[in-house]
Amino acid sequence: MILARLARELRGAMILDGAALTDAGREPSRSAGHREARGVVLLSSGTTGYSRFVLRSSEAIDAIASTLVEEELAVRSDIVASFLPMSHAYGFEHAFLAPLLVGSCVRALGAFSLDAANGALADGATSLPLVPFTAEVLAAGMLAPPKIRCAVLAGSPLPPSVRARVERAFGIGVVDLYGATELGTIWLDRGDGGRPVRGVEIVLSPMAPKSDASHDDGGNLGEILVRSPGMLEAILSSNGESNGVKITGTVDGFFHTGDLGRIDANGRYAIAGRVKLVFDVGGLKVNPIEVEQALETHPAIRRALVRPIEAGRTLRRVGATIELGRGLPPPSFDDVRRHLASLVPAHAIPRVIDVVETLPCTSSGKLLREQQPMTMPPVTRRPKGLESRARRETFTDALFDKTAYGYDNSSGVAFMRSGRWYRRRMLLRSGLMAGSAHLDVGSGTGLCAAIAAEIVGPTGRVVSLDPSAGMREVARRRGLRETVEGRAEKLPFPDASFDVVSMSYMLRHVDDLLLAFHEARRVLRPGGRIMILEVTRPERLLHRYAFDVAMRWMVPSLGVIASGRPRTFPMMRYWAETVEVAARPERIEEALGRSGFVGTRHLLELGVFSCYRGIAPPV
């Protein structure tokens, strides 16, 4: 099984047997007829995005480990809890090499999960090498204050807002590490910019090609070129032979990372973007060309375009737009993913697949890559001043934090006090029963989750997920045991974790229906159900006019009276404004279908209350 997985993950790169590994790791000694070991072979997705093997010398290994010890990222008293693959440089260096040199205890815990991380902290872990997304999940879901001495984050640049959130939760400053499998650790950022580690030389090339960086500030921006004592010895080719480092993109001994960097007046570095098409997903590289070529081997797909989708401030997903062969029906989402499973690494398989009639090309047939992001927004327009995701998230988080304690009374007016029995009826129709596992996304004060908890009973599980701290606090006071910080587009749960996922009156607050529904489908078990409750604006002109007046003026005013809190008025007014521009039911049904749900249904009651249902098909 292990060999089969290696073959799947490394298809197109190489597979080394024992003899090839032994031969690649040796070199002729000065004594004729003898060969001696000279290093270690690591798995790399590298700056090219292709899986491959990298040979690093014994001297480079020693330099990397001793540098990490010098920087006190490993000390003798550490208990290192690692969710990193030991075959990759980050895991090998930080969860094995440096701890081994200094005499630390290492616990290799496999794939990351919140339960395993909390268990490791409870068992006394003091050092955690993480990536930004897993650090965010852990910071939001820690069961008790940790006793962490050192937390290192690597894999993608660390946004300041994430650093602040993680440091508050961990109670220490975190170290943002920038490095590469080919080079080892390049710099460490302890909150004041990247400081190169001992022996590393950095040059910012002024000849960097066009990238996704927003601007060039007076010559301080360029492609990052690195020369280090931890640099690779060679990349191993498919026949087991080692090739010199010059084939990897080095000039005068400097390695071209493909990243754009910026240096400040104090000589501290920061990542500014990417030069090449390759992009990061959870710290792993995705080469869109590789994925496109694999997609185009599917019999129904004529052409494909792959690009990243921003699912949050620290998380990207892979998206694909496909053009079908003439007269061929579109393949199902599951069919495409199964087709790709043996052709590309698991992290490179698209989470969102969009079908278009024709992909734009030049006259020579070359794909035009400059396109608008592939999304299905839940509204036709955003309120003025809230067009950007960051500003909108800041606004809504503050809005719901301030109105959390009066929310149930004010929203109860809008639903004519029908909220509890209506939610219960729809949950039961969606198949929720005793012993079920239920996730309520955008749970707010936890009303729907609390009703679900009554249904599933003591043998079931209910999770209330919401980005607002104020709303989560009200949900906890309601008696819900699992309240988790998170958003619909990046659910912090493993695949196939729940039987039912519900979303109640929150679609207008997501950025992309496709991504939110894909995430819901991912965490549902085969045959699991999604249930979405929404308010739908009437179609008839007179009914729509009366509805708008009621939602804009009467409902907010009554909400203030019911809650006793004037600040609920702008919250209810914002809600009314987003309802007016919300996607129509047929658009929501389309998004559910394109996200892989089957048996989708839309039930409209009293002309305004909509319930959507769908089933996650068997794998």
Side-chain angles (χ1 to χ4, degrees), residues 348-612:
I349 297 177
R351 293 291 187 94
V352 177
I353 299 173
D354 197 16
V355 180
V356 297
E357 185 175 344
T358 306
L359 283 169
C361 298
T362 65
S363 58
S364 63
K366 183 178 180 180
L367 281 174
L368 294 173
R369 294 184 175 274
E370 298 296 329
Q371 299 185 54
Q372 293 299 314
M374 178 179 52
T375 60
M376 285 186 70
V379 295
T380 56
R381 67 177 185 277
R382 296 290 184 183
K384 187 176 181 180
L386 298 178
E387 293 84 1
S388 77
R389 181 207 311 266
R391 184 170 296 180
R392 194 162 55 251
E393 288 181 357
T394 301
F395 171 80
T396 54
D397 286 353
L399 182 69
F400 288 111
D401 282 348
K402 292 176 181 177
T403 58
Y405 289 94
Y407 184 84
D408 283 348
N409 286 332
S410 59
S411 63
V413 173
F415 299 111
M416 298 175 285
R417 299 297 177 187
S418 63
R420 287 190 61 84
W421 70 262
Y422 179 62
R423 286 175 170 87
R424 176 180 289 275
R425 181 159 63 93
M426 293 307 173
L427 284 170
L428 290 171
R429 285 191 177 187
S430 298
L432 195 66
M433 63 183 68
S436 294
H438 172 250
L439 171 64
D440 190 32
V441 178
S443 190
T445 61
L447 177 58
C448 188
I451 297 168
E454 296 171 2
I455 296 173
V456 304
T459 60
R461 178 193 182 193
V462 173
V463 179
S464 170
L465 180 136
D466 199 273
S468 164
M471 291 289 188
R472 295 196 305 277
E473 178 59 28
V474 175
R476 278 191 288 269
R477 293 188 181 189
R478 196 186 287 276
L480 293 166
R481 291 176 300 189
E482 286 191 72
T483 57
V484 178
E485 179 183 4
R487 299 182 185 276
E489 296 97 333
K490 53 171 185 175
L491 299 177
F493 307 105
D495 296 356
S497 297
F498 299 96
D499 300 300
V500 176
V501 171
S502 62
M503 300 178 178
S504 301
Y505 311 106
M506 50 71 66
L507 285 187
R508 298 175 305 285
H509 303 303
V510 306
D511 274 346
D512 181 11
L513 292 176
L514 284 177
L515 197 53
F517 293 164
H518 272 281
E519 277 291 276
R521 183 181 171 283
R522 179 183 65 79
V523 302
L524 279 170
R525 292 164 182 155
R529 309 294 180 93
I530 187 172
M531 182 205 75
I532 302 164
L533 302 181
E534 270 301 340
V535 175
T536 299
R537 196 179 183 212
E539 292 194 20
R540 290 189 177 183
L541 183 60
L542 290 178
H543 292 177
R544 187 165 67 243
Y545 176 77
F547 175 86
D548 291 347
V549 171
M551 292 295 291
R552 276 181 168 266
W553 297 103
M554 295 175 59
V555 169
S557 299
L558 291 172
V560 171
I561 296 171
S563 66
R565 297 173 182 267
R567 64 182 56 176
T568 62
F569 190 94
M571 183 271 293
M572 299 298 287
R573 171 62 72 84
Y574 176 74
W575 191 46
E577 290 173 351
T578 56
V579 168
E580 289 180 14
V581 295
R584 297 300 301 169
E586 57 272 16
R587 183 73 165 165
I588 295 172
E589 286 190 277
E590 178 190 354
L592 284 169
R594 286 169 60 179
S595 300
F597 285 99
V598 297
T600 57
R601 295 184 60 192
H602 170 225
L603 176 66
L604 184 66
E605 296 191 353
L606 301 178
V608 293
F609 295 113
S610 287
C611 179
Y612 305 87

Side-chain angles (χ1 to χ4, degrees), residues 217-228:
D217 51 357
N220 292 329
L221 180 71
E223 184 183 3
I224 300 171
L225 277 60
V226 178
R227 183 163 59 192
S228 81

Side-chain angles (χ1 to χ4, degrees), residues 105-392:
C105 171
V106 176
R107 295 173 180 168
L109 302 175
F112 177 85
S113 74
L114 186 56
D115 289 342
N118 274 312
L121 293 175
D123 289 341
T126 62
S127 178
L128 291 175
L130 299 165
V131 297
F133 179 59
T134 56
E136 271 196 298
V137 172
L138 180 55
M142 282 192 298
L143 300 180
K147 297 179 180 178
I148 302 174
R149 183 197 67 82
C150 179
V152 180
L153 278 64
S156 59
L158 183 63
S161 60
V162 176
R163 175 188 286 275
R165 191 177 306 123
V166 172
E167 288 183 342
R168 281 197 303 270
F170 288 5
I172 60 169
V174 301
V175 180
D176 186 12
L177 179 147
Y178 172 59
T181 310
E182 296 87 349
L183 301 164
T185 300
I186 298 171
W187 72 57
L188 302 174
D189 181 354
R190 290 182 165 89
D192 57 352
R195 179 175 57 83
V197 299
R198 176 177 58 84
V200 169
E201 301 174 68
I202 299 175
V203 173
L204 296 184
S205 169
M207 303 303 292
K210 182 181 177 181
S211 71
D212 59 356
S214 58
H215 63 280
D216 188 336
D217 51 357
N220 292 329
L221 180 71
E223 184 183 3
I224 300 171
L225 277 60
V226 178
R227 183 163 59 192
S228 81
M231 185 177 289
L232 80 168
E233 181 82 3
I235 291 174
L236 304 182
S237 67
S238 57
N239 61 6
E241 296 176 354
S242 60
N243 297 309
V245 296
K246 288 189 176 181
I247 68 163
T248 67
T250 61
V251 176
D252 296 330
F254 282 88
F255 187 92
H256 286 246
T257 66
D259 291 321
L260 280 170
R262 192 175 277 117
I263 185 170
D264 64 17
N266 297 317
R268 300 299 173 89
Y269 291 89
I271 298 294
R274 286 290 297 169
V275 175
K276 305 173 184 178
L277 288 176
V278 172
F279 57 89
D280 286 309
V281 172
L284 298 173
K285 299 293 191 298
V286 174
N287 186 324
I289 305 298
E290 180 184 34
V291 184
E292 288 164 5
Q293 291 172 346
L295 280 166
E296 289 165 6
T297 64
H298 189 285
I301 298 174
R302 177 173 180 266
R303 206 188 323 255
L305 178 64
V306 171
R307 57 184 178 272
I309 297 174
E310 302 296 335
R313 295 174 184 174
T314 63
L315 184 65
R316 281 176 168 176
R317 297 296 193 199
V318 182
T321 304
I322 59 175
E323 175 186 330
L324 303 177
R326 186 182 298 275
L328 295 176
S332 70
F333 179 75
D334 282 336
D335 179 40
V336 174
R337 286 177 62 86
R338 282 194 296 269
H339 178 78
L340 292 177
S342 62
L343 302 177
V344 299
H347 70 272
I349 297 177
R351 293 291 187 94
V352 177
I353 299 173
D354 197 16
V355 180
V356 297
E357 185 175 344
T358 306
L359 283 169
C361 298
T362 65
S363 58
S364 63
K366 183 178 180 180
L367 281 174
L368 294 173
R369 294 184 175 274
E370 298 296 329
Q371 299 185 54
Q372 293 299 314
M374 178 179 52
T375 60
M376 285 186 70
V379 295
T380 56
R381 67 177 185 277
R382 296 290 184 183
K384 187 176 181 180
L386 298 178
E387 293 84 1
S388 77
R389 181 207 311 266
R391 184 170 296 180
R392 194 162 55 251

